[in-house]
Amino acid sequence: MNDTSLPPARRSERAVALVLQGGGALGAYQAGAYKALCERGLEPQWLAGTSIGAINAAIIAGNERSRAHERLDEFWREISTSDPLAPPASLAGLRQFYNFWSAQRTALAGQPGFFAPRPLPPLSLLPGGPAATSYYDTAPLKRTLERLVDFDRINARKVRLSLGAVAVETGKTVFFDNHERKLGPEHVMASGALPPAFPPVSIDGALYWDGGIVSNTPLEAILATPPERDWLIVVVDLWDAKGPAPKTLVEVEGRLKDITYASRASEHIRAFNRISELRALIDRLYSKLPANADDEGLWLQVQALGCPHAIDILHLVYEQAAFELASKDYEFSRSSVERHLAEGYAQAIRLLEARGWCAPAREPGMVRVYENERLPAAKPRPS
């Protein structure tokens, strides 16, 4: 263990949760960040994911730690397209054209081990059924999940796993949680069933779509549960809500996606911070009660709403490269995937090396948030 690792005493005092946003091909960034966390001794006890984040989370939860890294690498190699002659990132204009072409290839031909185009256009079919309500068949993903994920391990609850989806008929967010039900490939696929590209997934007679169409960052799955100990929550987002105003229609499309899928992670964090302050205040008030002040049990109910535990949130946000377009989430070239992996690892290391979050919290119940630093090589998006 190197000098940037969390001190053993602090590791034993807190639990680690990993929250993974949806974002298609950008999800390789999360695999890189996970590697950095494990190298620092920060193995998650709770994983929450949506869409591609649900797939990454299931692979991590469904394998032993040493095997999880291998399985993640195998997954991203399988669903990416080899491109040994890809232009370097330094040639931004050429690389932008290449990425556009690569994304169009995916749209036309699909990705091995992930999804395949349907032989007939959906509008030419009679209503009803998956072929009439989606452009792609996700049967390849089911086979990939069955091969790479040990669902018996997930259902043995070695770690907690929560997968965000949306009920098609009610529009309500649902979290499939292995502490509440038995999970299988269909629950992971439901979390990633983004319409109209992918068909809804039927579970217990109800249809589900990608959780990202309502809330793309499944942070609320963790924050809704009052903590029983100190927590370190690592949130890995793939869309940046902050960015320059667009100057072209191409940039408008990209900015719209960023804002839409950045979801409400920051709002969730601010709301949770306020709730934590109120919980800490309840604890302080309860400690000042005189003896025998709780004859009716009312104050015991109030005291149960308090929380003496501290929460640290590490918020990593993927930083878009100068040459990337709105199609970055379905641009699956091997060179782009490897770049996402490397940047997820590098940005997580930069944040972990700050080490400010390692210090014990000054007060029980406090929430501290740490954002990732911008990479030096980042440049504004070209027109």
Side-chain angles (χ1 to χ4, degrees), residues 222-244:
I222 294 172
L223 298 186
T225 303
E228 298 178 353
R229 59 191 296 193
D230 287 1
W231 274 93
L232 171 65
I233 303 176
V234 183
V235 181
V236 188
D237 285 351
L238 304 176
W239 305 90
D240 195 346
K242 300 176 182 178

Side-chain angles (χ1 to χ4, degrees), residues 33-382:
Y34 171 70
K35 180 180 179 182
L37 293 175
C38 290
E39 287 184 359
R40 269 53 184 178
L42 300 172
E43 184 73 18
Q45 286 85 51
W46 192 345
L47 293 136
T50 296
S51 200
I52 197 68
I55 296 174
N56 282 331
I59 293 173
I60 294 169
N63 288 281
E64 295 286 347
R65 173 178 168 177
S66 58
R67 194 68 181 272
H69 297 291
E70 297 174 5
R71 292 301 200 186
L72 280 173
D73 287 343
E74 184 177 348
F75 172 74
W76 285 102
R77 282 196 307 271
E78 179 169 342
I79 69 167
S80 59
T81 304
S82 179
D83 58 347
L85 301 180
S90 58
L91 301 176
L94 185 59
R95 180 71 201 199
Q96 189 174 70
F97 176 79
Y98 174 82
N99 279 25
F100 174 80
W101 172 84
S102 175
Q104 301 317 301
R105 191 211 66 81
T106 295
L108 291 172
Q111 285 298 131
F114 200 168
F115 58 92
R118 298 192 183 280
L120 296 174
L123 293 177
S124 68
L125 303 174
L126 294 175
T133 56
S134 61
Y135 291 103
Y136 300 97
D137 179 9
T138 53
L141 175 59
K142 185 174 188 294
R143 293 191 290 269
T144 299
L145 290 171
E146 289 172 340
R147 190 178 75 257
L148 298 182
V149 179
D150 181 353
F151 285 95
D152 288 336
R153 176 181 171 80
I154 287 176
N155 293 312
R157 302 178 182 178
K158 300 291 184 180
V159 298
R160 188 167 183 177
L161 177 64
S162 303
L163 308 174
V166 173
V168 174
E169 293 178 295
T170 66
K172 294 182 178 179
T173 296
V174 175
F175 287 103
F176 301 121
D177 193 302
N178 66 341
H179 279 214
E180 300 173 357
R181 66 166 76 198
K182 185 177 180 180
L183 299 185
E186 65 276 13
H187 298 93
V188 184
M189 295 177 67
S191 182
L194 182 65
F198 301 152
V201 176
S202 178
I203 298 174
D204 298 330
L207 294 175
Y208 295 92
W209 271 334
D210 191 311
I213 64 178
V214 171
S215 182
N216 198 32
T217 304
L219 184 58
E220 63 265 40
I222 294 172
L223 298 186
T225 303
E228 298 178 353
R229 59 191 296 193
D230 287 1
W231 274 93
L232 171 65
I233 303 176
V234 183
V235 181
V236 188
D237 285 351
L238 304 176
W239 305 90
D240 195 346
K242 300 176 182 178
K247 298 179 181 179
T248 68
L249 279 178
V250 172
E251 291 183 0
V252 167
E253 183 182 1
R255 191 75 195 106
L256 177 61
K257 264 191 176 182
D258 288 339
I259 294 172
T260 300
Y261 292 118
S263 195
R264 301 186 298 273
S266 296
E267 286 77 7
H268 287 318
I269 291 171
R270 283 195 293 270
F272 182 72
N273 197 4
R274 180 57 178 161
I275 292 171
S276 296
E277 291 174 355
L278 293 174
R279 285 173 172 168
L281 182 60
I282 289 173
D283 282 323
R284 291 174 60 189
L285 289 173
Y286 188 81
S287 68
K288 296 181 181 298
L289 286 177
N292 303 319
D294 202 25
D295 293 337
E296 298 181 3
L298 175 63
W299 282 104
L300 282 177
Q301 298 178 47
V302 174
Q303 190 260 353
L305 299 175
C307 179
H309 304 291
I311 308 292
D312 285 345
I313 297 177
L314 274 62
H315 191 196
L316 284 166
V317 183
Y318 173 75
E319 186 176 350
Q320 179 169 311
F323 50 78
E324 288 185 301
L325 300 166
S327 56
K328 59 183 181 287
D329 55 324
Y330 58 96
E331 198 278 289
F332 283 90
S333 66
R334 185 73 49 78
S335 56
S336 290
V337 163
E338 289 177 351
R339 174 182 168 274
H340 301 333
L341 281 162
E343 291 202 354
Y345 178 83
Q347 288 189 322
I349 291 295
R350 285 162 64 89
L351 184 54
L352 292 171
E353 286 180 347
R355 297 200 63 184
W357 52 270
C358 288
R362 295 187 303 275
E363 300 177 13
M366 73 179 297
V367 177
R368 299 178 296 183
V369 181
Y370 300 83
E371 304 280 349
N372 62 292
E373 299 178 26
R374 296 293 181 181
L375 292 177
K379 297 178 181 179
R381 195 181 313 166

